[in-house]
Amino acid sequence: MEVSQHKMATSKKAAMEMSVGTLVTIVLLMVVLVMGIILIRNIFGGSTDAVENINNQVTNEINNLFSDSTTKLSISPGDRSITLNVGDVPKGFAFSVRNNEVSEQSFTYDVSAQDVTRCNIDRLEAEGYLLPKEGGFTLPRGAKLDVPELVKFDLPEDAPPCTMTYLLTVEKDGDVYSSAQIFVTIK
């Protein structure tokens, strides 16, 4: 009888050690899984972030979008959606233009608030967030900007959390050369 109680106590102890070991293994695997998900999110999520400055990664992304010879306008981030946080340093989007005309051309650009209805502000206030709102440049035939233009948003502390749509319009000789919508989410 004493031998069977000893076997039972040993078997309970072994079962307890096995379940503790299993729990430790599961916890460690979950930690590794979460860290892996965060790493992958940071790697692949970087390209959809707002642009803080023009660097090689931004320039390369814009140049890759010009692989089609008919492309006139290229924007980074490629999905044209940016998320900004109130209180952050000014961030925004970068763009480049290719002159598909047969001679040198002068271009102007303008960024305007298109839809601010979900933000309970007017267009003038939304356009006040822009740094710069407009600009211009000259390009030889077939050339694109060596350094992309950078448009940033300088948000005031009382900027509402919402999504707004802006319109980037590039003009040549007063006519629209190309345009694109930019979706800005403020958190």
Side-chain angles (χ1 to χ4, degrees):
M1 181 103 164
E2 201 170 297
V3 173
S4 79
Q5 284 181 344
H6 179 39
K7 283 184 180 180
M8 211 165 111
T10 305
S11 111
K12 283 184 181 180
K13 185 178 176 186
M16 179 87 150
E17 286 176 7
M18 187 175 119
S19 55
V20 168
T22 304
L23 286 174
V24 169
T25 302
I26 289 172
V27 168
L28 288 175
L29 288 173
M30 292 301 288
V31 167
V32 170
L33 177 66
V34 169
M35 289 175 61
I37 289 171
I38 291 171
L39 178 65
I40 289 172
R41 184 173 156 243
N42 286 342
I43 290 171
F44 293 110
S47 65
T48 62
D49 257 354
V51 176
E52 188 172 340
N53 55 30
I54 303 295
N55 57 27
N56 287 339
Q57 181 182 4
V58 171
T59 303
N60 290 339
E61 181 181 344
I62 286 175
N63 287 335
N64 287 339
L65 294 172
F66 278 125
S67 60
D68 176 9
S69 63
T70 61
T71 301
K72 297 178 180 180
L73 177 64
S74 175
I75 299 174
S76 176
D79 66 355
R80 298 176 290 129
S81 294
I82 58 176
T83 301
L84 304 169
N85 293 312
V86 173
D88 278 357
V89 296
K91 296 178 184 176
F93 64 94
F95 72 94
S96 184
V97 175
R98 179 174 34 208
N99 180 4
N100 287 345
E101 303 294 323
V102 293
S103 61
E104 181 176 273
Q105 299 292 321
S106 292
F107 296 92
T108 60
Y109 71 87
D110 178 71
V111 183
S112 59
Q114 189 177 32
D115 181 9
V116 294
T117 55
R118 290 179 293 274
C119 298
N120 200 25
I121 61 173
D122 62 27
R123 289 183 184 194
L124 285 176
E125 185 177 349
E127 289 175 5
Y129 300 165
L130 293 164
L131 297 172
K133 179 186 173 341
E134 54 191 23
F137 46 86
T138 301
L139 290 173
R141 68 183 175 131
K144 61 183 179 292
L145 290 170
D146 291 331
V147 177
E149 292 285 323
L150 179 60
V151 177
K152 293 183 177 184
F153 295 85
D154 188 14
L155 302 175
E157 291 297 321
D158 63 344
C162 62
T163 300
M164 298 180 276
T165 306
Y166 286 82
L167 182 66
L168 167 64
T169 305
V170 177
E171 293 185 349
K172 173 188 69 79
D173 299 327
D175 294 326
V176 174
Y177 183 71
S178 188
S179 65
Q181 290 180 320
I182 311 296
F183 304 96
V184 178
T185 301
I186 300 172
K187 291 190 174 190

